[in-house]
Amino acid sequence: MRRSDGAPVRVLVVDDEPDLTEVLSAALADEGWDVRTAADGTSAVAEGRRFRPDAVVLDWMLPDTDGLQVLRDLRGELEHVCVLFLTARDAVEDRIAGITAGGDDYVTKPFSLEEVLARLRGLLRRAGMAREPGGDDRLVVGDLVMDEEAREVSRAGTVVELSRTEFELLRYLMRNPRRVLSKGQILDRVWSYDFGGRAHVVELYISYLRKKIDAGRPPMIHTVRGVGYVLKPGPA
């Protein structure tokens, strides 16, 4: 995904947890996006004025203020910026407060990186600030099709029902077709950033996907022994 003028999407990540900021920044940079960070509200507003981001990933609680005040200040400078709240606060009233203050979406901690990326892509598309190569909202690998907006998957025209985690795992595989992904890479992108899980959960969910995607069809999900997994079209 790139800006409408062809330049990289600009994203400002605002959070006072260094590990989280590092992980998020790396994932966004992997998308080819231009990323800047800030650890408090004052520096976030200053960086926003300099950097002019297309989107802001904004922590609700910051050392010197709260995300709502930062959002108000940023909106005064950047009227059309997309703002995704990232917070441990998940009460309904908190969600309402964030959206009422002008936030565009809301993700609670812990989160999967793929979910954050998908939310940002959706916000930018809907705002008309960025576009996918080819202008198509779908991911297509062989006869496997994923509509990210509708959260629908089909293979050879047959709808495949997936759980939320299965969907995020398949989305990551489909965004990296023919690329061998290690279990560590998959854990980092699909499971929560502080999950601390083990590789066996990847093996388990790969087996779930195979039963739904590959059952009775030419296999698309392949194991590269000692390395990881790769998704590629089956033979015609």
Side-chain angles (χ1 to χ4, degrees):
M1 171 176 278
R2 300 184 74 83
R3 298 176 62 188
S4 298
D5 61 5
V9 171
R10 295 194 295 261
V11 184
L12 174 62
V13 178
V14 185
D15 200 290
D16 62 339
E17 296 182 46
D19 290 344
L20 186 155
T21 302
E22 181 180 354
V23 168
L24 257 179
S25 297
L28 294 168
D30 282 347
E31 292 287 303
W33 296 355
D34 191 358
V35 186
R36 299 288 187 276
T37 64
D40 57 55
T42 302
S43 58
V45 175
E47 187 64 36
R49 289 169 177 159
R50 287 192 299 268
F51 183 46
R52 313 296 293 181
D54 304 300
V56 178
V57 180
L58 179 60
D59 188 28
W60 188 287
M61 300 300 295
L62 296 166
D64 56 345
T65 185
D66 62 45
L68 293 180
Q69 185 57 53
V70 174
L71 173 58
R72 296 185 190 101
D73 292 341
L74 287 174
R75 284 283 188 226
E77 300 284 337
L78 306 164
E79 181 180 355
H80 300 295
V81 68
C82 298
V83 176
L84 174 67
F85 271 117
L86 193 65
T87 176
R89 302 175 63 159
D90 61 356
V92 173
E93 54 267 28
D94 292 328
R95 294 173 181 264
I96 292 173
I99 300 301
T100 301
D104 298 290
D105 207 346
Y106 194 112
V107 175
T108 56
K109 301 176 183 178
F111 57 85
S112 81
L113 293 174
E114 277 302 297
E115 179 181 9
V116 171
L117 291 169
R119 297 289 186 95
L120 285 173
R121 294 185 201 110
L123 290 178
L124 291 164
R125 277 198 301 266
R126 288 192 290 275
M129 299 174 68
R131 55 182 172 76
E132 297 281 3
D136 196 337
D137 290 342
R138 303 181 307 159
L139 298 175
V140 181
V141 180
D143 61 357
L144 184 62
V145 179
M146 172 181 285
D147 185 324
E148 295 184 277
E149 287 292 306
R151 296 187 70 84
E152 294 178 349
V153 175
S154 64
R155 183 162 184 196
T158 300
V159 174
V160 180
E161 299 291 340
L162 300 177
S163 70
R164 178 173 177 173
T165 301
E166 290 166 350
F167 185 91
E168 298 301 339
L169 173 56
L170 183 61
R171 169 154 47 194
Y172 185 43
L173 294 173
M174 291 186 71
R175 282 194 164 272
N176 295 275
R178 303 181 185 276
R179 176 185 171 192
V180 180
L181 302 170
S182 71
K183 293 176 184 177
Q185 287 175 307
I186 294 171
L187 274 173
D188 286 344
R189 291 294 288 264
V190 178
W191 276 263
S192 60
Y193 75 97
D194 62 352
F195 173 67
R198 297 294 181 265
H200 69 82
V201 75
V202 177
E203 298 169 4
L204 181 64
Y205 273 86
I206 286 289
S207 72
Y208 291 161
L209 273 186
R210 279 178 166 147
K211 290 175 182 176
K212 295 183 176 183
I213 299 297
D214 288 346
R217 306 179 180 98
M220 295 185 69
I221 302 172
H222 303 270
T223 300
V224 179
R225 194 169 299 279
V227 183
Y229 302 96
V230 60
L231 178 78
K232 56 187 179 180

